[in-house]
Amino acid sequence: MSKLFDLSGKVAVITGGSRGLGLAMAHGFAAHGADIVIASRKLDACRAACEALQTEYQVRTLPVAFHAGKWDDAARLLETVDQSFGRIDILVNNAGASPLYSSLAAVSEELWNKTLDLNLKGPFRLSVLAAERMAQVGGGSIINISSAGALMPSVHELPYAMAKGALHTMSATLSVLYGGKVRVNVIVPGAFLTDISKAWTDDVHRRIRSGVPMGRAGDPSEIVGAALYLASDSASYTTGAVIKVDGGVAFSRG
């Protein structure tokens, strides 16, 4: 299995990689030989994650303070990666958030802009700049982390769902523009037991148990296989794909 998903010699950049699904993917990639760049707003958390990866897997790591919603931070991140590693082979656009609001009418322009910046504008800029670099050195893999809300949004997350839906469009278009050189794919997670799940109410847990065909939320480790496949040469004929990792969700949420 390790040979099937061998990432030795590759450099993987994971935004929002200091916790949750991003950190789970970082561990999966490092376990298969990749050097890891953890890019997130909290540098201390990035450093802690990198130290743990280095100790456990003996790979090279780099923590970078990075705001996924800021246009200019994309170029700065990639320049920092170039200075340390000289290349980027894998990009995971994982950073994202869905700010709360009381009603659609209460959505402010500030919340709207913040949501679209973080979940769409930033990933677009970073993906394009990374793809250009990857294409120049023979190729690479971009994995955009979406949300089940992009396919079945609720009234409580519409701006977020719209941004993630546009992320699908962006990924499909980039997969065509860069052809076989840079593969661009989407993973659509459902409910996962990350640190944010600690704030879920009993009602949320009940809705997951009744609404998800598998009857439960996922463990972060359960997204790693899909990410490893898309990051590795095993997916050499896979681009423009949308892979759902959601426990079989097939219900209308609202």
Side-chain angles (χ1 to χ4, degrees):
M1 186 63 71
S2 60
K3 290 184 178 180
L4 185 64
F5 295 143
D6 184 24
L7 299 179
S8 299
K10 296 187 181 297
V11 176
V13 176
I14 304 173
T15 70
S18 63
R19 61 189 181 92
L21 299 183
L23 183 57
M25 288 183 274
H27 276 271
F29 291 173
H32 288 77
D35 295 324
I36 305 294
V37 179
I38 300 290
S40 190
R41 286 186 299 171
K42 297 180 180 179
L43 184 58
D44 287 346
C46 294
R47 285 173 174 156
C50 284
E51 288 173 6
L53 293 167
Q54 222 169 1
T55 299
E56 186 167 356
Y57 306 107
Q58 290 77 56
V59 296
R60 294 184 298 167
T61 63
L62 177 68
V64 182
F66 168 74
H67 192 305
K70 293 186 177 180
W71 187 268
D72 292 339
D73 259 18
R76 183 183 59 79
L77 169 60
L78 293 176
E79 288 165 4
T80 302
V81 174
D82 280 344
Q83 290 169 6
S84 294
F85 295 105
R87 63 185 297 127
I88 174 175
D89 302 285
I90 302 157
L91 168 64
V92 181
N93 279 308
N94 170 71
S98 180
L100 298 175
Y101 51 87
S102 58
S103 69
L104 289 177
V107 172
S108 65
E109 184 177 12
E110 180 183 5
L111 185 146
W112 172 267
N113 289 336
K114 178 180 178 180
T115 304
L116 272 289
D117 285 353
L118 180 58
N119 295 290
L120 179 60
K121 184 180 80 174
F124 164 78
R125 182 63 171 165
L126 186 55
S127 293
V128 170
L129 294 182
E132 291 293 318
R133 284 168 164 78
M134 292 174 178
Q136 291 172 5
V137 297
S141 171
I142 296 175
I143 303 170
N144 290 315
I145 307 302
S146 179
S147 165
L151 305 177
M152 293 177 294
S154 78
V155 69
H156 306 294
E157 58 181 356
L158 187 55
Y160 174 73
M162 292 172 69
K164 291 298 191 181
L167 194 69
H168 290 212
T169 302
M170 181 197 83
S171 301
T173 304
L174 292 182
S175 72
V176 173
L177 291 177
Y178 289 98
K181 273 195 171 182
V182 180
R183 296 180 294 102
V184 186
N185 296 286
V186 177
I187 294 178
V188 182
F192 274 84
L193 296 172
T194 61
D195 50 330
I196 198 171
S197 68
K198 296 173 183 176
W200 290 352
T201 63
D202 289 341
D203 182 59
V204 171
H205 285 284
R206 280 193 296 270
R207 283 193 284 120
I208 290 172
R209 287 194 296 270
S210 63
V212 177
M214 292 187 73
R216 63 177 177 85
D219 184 86
S221 64
E222 293 180 294
I223 204 168
V224 173
L228 277 171
Y229 166 68
L230 293 176
S232 72
D233 292 340
S234 294
S236 57
Y237 198 58
T238 302
T239 193
V242 176
I243 298 178
K244 294 174 64 180
V245 186
D246 60 4
V249 171
F251 65 99
S252 179
R253 301 187 305 165

